[in-house]
Amino acid sequence: MEAADRKRLLQEMVFARRFEERTAEAYHHRDIGGFLHLYPGQEACAFGVLEQARMGHDYVITGYRDHVHALKCGADPKEVMAELYGKETGSSRGRGGSMHIFDVKNHFMGGYALVGEPYPLAAGLAKGIKMKGTDQIAICFLGDGANNQGTFHETLNMAQLWELPVLFVCENNLYAIGTSLERSTPAHDQYLRAQSYKMEADQVDGQDIDTVMEAAEKAVDFVRSGKGPYFLELMTYRLRGHSMSDSGRGYRSEDEIKQWMERDPIYLFRDRLVEEGVLTADEFEQMDKDAQQHVDDEVIPFAENSPEPDVGDLHKYVLSDDDSCAMGQIAGGGK
Amino acid sequence: MAEIFYWDAVRRAHDEEMANDPLVFAMGEDIGLPGGTYKATQGLFDKYGEERVMDTPISENSYTGIGVGASMIGARPIVEIMSVNFALLATDQIINAAAKIRYMSGGQVGCPVVVRSPGGVAHQLGAQHSGRLEKLFAGTSGLRVVTPAFPVDAYGMLKTAVRCDDPVVILEHEAIYNLKGEVPDEEYFAPLEGARVVREGTDVTLIGYLMSTHWNLAAADKLAEQGISAEVIDLRSLKPIDADTLRTSLAKTHKAVICTEDEAPVGMSAEIMAVLNEQCFFELDAPPVRVTAEDVPIPYNHTLEKAALPDADKIATATQKLLGH
Ligand SMILES: Cc1ncc(C[n+]2csc(CCOP(=O)(O)OP(=O)(O)O)c2C)c(N)n1
């Protein structure tokens, strides 16, 4: 990877971190409602995998911790923030909220609140791709907790049976809200569960973006070449609580949190780039300042100043605008 | 116009829609190689291959979800769920996903998926195979719910549903797959909204859908013998319910009997009653009456099963009482 690209990638990660931290502030000010699940600590997962995929070409789908995946797919940060603010200019027109960011023009097919629900949807995107015969792939990001849902087993079984072009990325952050992996399943290694369906699977460190990119390249190539699905488990950690109503303490020791903080994916990558002579400490400072400024000067004002949806549009988007087809008026039909 | 079986009408719609568009595919348990539990996809596996007529494992929630996901990028899946009782396992994908994706994406993407499933009570299948779950789907914003009672609608509604950009739940009935009826020889698309007057009359309006439409027709025969002229309305669509057709009929008869195969509490009859109250009140001469299933899990014993359900006699009796006969 070119030095310039490595710097660009770090810049993207820093921006995502600042974006997420700023949403927490907005949440405390009650500018953002509902649940808010933040991503700090896990950035190398989304950025490392998606860096190896083709954004706007491949399809991406995930759970409720979805802002950063949407951003990496190409969603306009202003629109994502406006969505969190519930504004008409939001990516989902203010109808979705934090857990339901969609940016279909960039093939980001949504965030979903039901744990495990996106598994079949992802396989369905892959089925659609297969029917169209394109070289696209579907990529599904979910947590370790989702693997205790029936959809994990049902979908992996069918995806492998039908050799669907789908990459399942398990962001194993060791906790499902406050219940640790060890306390929710005897099968700690998630990639082994996938292998029981004869699926190609791997497990790597999810904090080191170079490691993630290397594993993801292999996985993406495998799926794109038509060999069937792939399951990639990334060992990671969320540095914050599960959502804004969870301190993230209580069920995790301070020691453990501290250890993972030392493996913050952004600082690991920064230090690597400094070591490689690609980046100076000053440049990083500047990068960080630019990210913060971008959020403060452009993203937040856009969200704040955007209009609310019109109450008169409450029923818009329930069904398709054009009901002529449902009324049986079909072009070329009834001939 | 040929007389064909209900199952054959469904099969023909599949066949024509699959021939029309290579992105139409069917999936469900035993629908491919084995030909379908109710023969609704018979012969199509050989014609279109296993990628388009897919035998799925017994994973209702996830194969339904695969259909939903595929529909998001332009495929046109027809998902068969072997029995509506099993559709309960797929309600996450139908109700939480398919019904809501268009809305929560602010109109960016829809789910033009068709979910077909037979339900209802048929020949002593017992409590777990006699579900009438239309209330569940008809009570969900973002879905279209239709109940074709005759082969012509089974054919025409499935064809329209495949082309329609909304998720459509088609509730069929275990006991009517072998019903014969006329279906036009030429291609036909039935609307997914609007009730139909299936028998004209002047004294009372009998309202039902799916199996209860057939019971209402039989009741109308019995009532005719006693000089009572009953109009029978087949709702055909449960979401939305066509209040206009009801009002037009009631403007003539001024009296309504509602028959549904599900239980009364929070059932379809309650919704129909509300529609009459809110939108047809001034046409009514008397409070509408409902004839519904008893509020019990459907028993196995034949006599008990019969006692739990409405039938033509019960409808006729209720009608006579309403008319003061
Ligand atoms: C079907 C369902 N059950 C329960 C919940 C409540 N819930 C939300 S997130 C969560 C934990 C999920 O953990 P994991 O899949 O590991 O993802 P993470 O939050 O760690 O990224 C739970 C139980 C839900 N949203 N959906």
Side-chain angles (χ1 to χ4, degrees), chain B residues 142-155:
Chain B
L143 295 179
R144 290 182 174 277
V145 183
V146 295
T147 48
F150 300 95
V152 62
D153 284 331
Y155 164 77

Side-chain angles (χ1 to χ4, degrees), chain B residues 6-325:
Chain B
Y6 190 101
W7 64 262
D8 199 22
V10 179
R11 189 208 54 76
R12 181 180 150 197
H14 274 93
D15 192 4
E16 288 177 7
E17 290 306 301
M18 292 182 75
N20 173 67
D21 178 355
L23 290 177
V24 175
F25 70 100
M27 62 195 310
E29 291 157 24
D30 284 343
I31 71 156
L33 187 61
T37 312
Y38 299 97
K39 299 190 279 195
T41 47
Q42 198 175 58
L44 302 181
F45 182 83
D46 288 338
K47 193 163 173 186
Y48 297 104
E50 63 178 4
E51 297 268 326
R52 293 186 66 198
V53 185
M54 306 178 83
D55 284 309
T56 64
I58 307 156
S59 306
E60 285 80 7
N61 197 31
S62 294
Y63 72 67
T64 301
I66 288 175
V68 175
S71 78
M72 292 171 76
I73 59 168
R76 295 275 164 167
I78 307 171
V79 178
E80 174 176 306
I81 299 179
M82 194 182 258
S83 152
V84 82
N85 303 277
F86 317 153
L88 280 172
L89 287 120
T91 45
D92 178 48
Q93 293 294 329
I94 299 171
I95 293 178
N96 282 323
K100 299 184 169 67
I101 285 174
R102 180 183 295 280
Y103 199 84
M104 65 191 191
S105 71
Q108 290 180 74
V109 58
C111 302
V113 62
V114 180
V115 178
R116 302 175 35 246
S117 190
V121 183
H123 49 264
Q124 290 187 268
L125 296 178
Q128 291 192 324
H129 274 78
S130 302
R132 293 128 301 151
L133 300 179
E134 45 272 29
K135 65 176 96 175
L136 201 59
F137 303 113
T140 300
S141 307
L143 295 179
R144 290 182 174 277
V145 183
V146 295
T147 48
F150 300 95
V152 62
D153 284 331
Y155 164 77
M157 284 179 154
L158 176 53
K159 283 182 65 78
T160 304
V162 170
R163 310 269 181 123
C164 173
D165 288 335
D166 302 317
V168 182
V169 176
I170 303 183
L171 296 168
E172 298 168 3
H173 197 289
E174 312 228 7
I176 60 180
Y177 282 107
N178 286 323
L179 177 88
K180 267 192 158 179
E182 291 199 331
V183 177
D185 297 327
E186 65 278 13
E187 187 172 42
Y188 164 66
F189 293 90
L192 302 178
E193 294 184 17
R196 185 191 282 144
V197 177
V198 290
R199 175 179 174 130
E200 291 194 12
T202 51
D203 297 333
V204 63
T205 301
L206 307 182
I207 304 164
Y209 58 91
L210 212 55
M211 200 58 185
S212 60
T213 287
H214 295 285
W215 294 330
N216 280 337
L217 284 170
D221 282 342
K222 288 179 190 288
L223 291 166
E225 287 165 18
Q226 294 153 34
I228 297 170
S229 165
E231 179 143 303
V232 178
I233 292 183
D234 177 19
L235 287 177
R236 301 203 308 164
S237 165
L238 300 186
K239 186 169 185 67
I241 286 177
D242 174 10
D244 290 342
T245 298
L246 296 177
R247 199 182 311 105
T248 305
S249 178
L250 289 168
K252 189 165 59 170
T253 66
H254 308 294
K255 294 194 178 60
V257 175
I258 302 162
C259 178
T260 67
E261 194 182 350
D262 67 351
E263 314 89 315
V266 204
M268 281 312 304
S269 63
E271 181 59 25
I272 297 164
M273 187 76 92
V275 169
L276 296 181
N277 192 37
E278 287 171 353
Q279 303 195 50
C280 310
F281 186 80
F282 295 106
E283 305 298 348
L284 291 166
D285 277 352
V289 168
R290 49 182 175 165
V291 182
T292 69
E294 295 295 324
D295 190 10
V296 293
I298 295 300
Y300 163 70
N301 172 274
H302 178 64
T303 309
L304 292 181
E305 183 189 67
K306 193 167 161 7
L309 289 178
D311 60 22
D313 286 331
K314 292 178 189 172
I315 297 163
T317 305
T319 306
Q320 285 160 346
K321 199 169 152 205
L322 173 68
L323 297 183
H325 283 245

Side-chain angles (χ1 to χ4, degrees), chain A residues 198-209:
Chain A
K198 297 189 185 289
M199 193 173 291
E200 203 66 30
D202 197 4
Q203 180 192 56
V204 301
D205 176 14
Q207 301 308 90
D208 179 341
I209 193 160

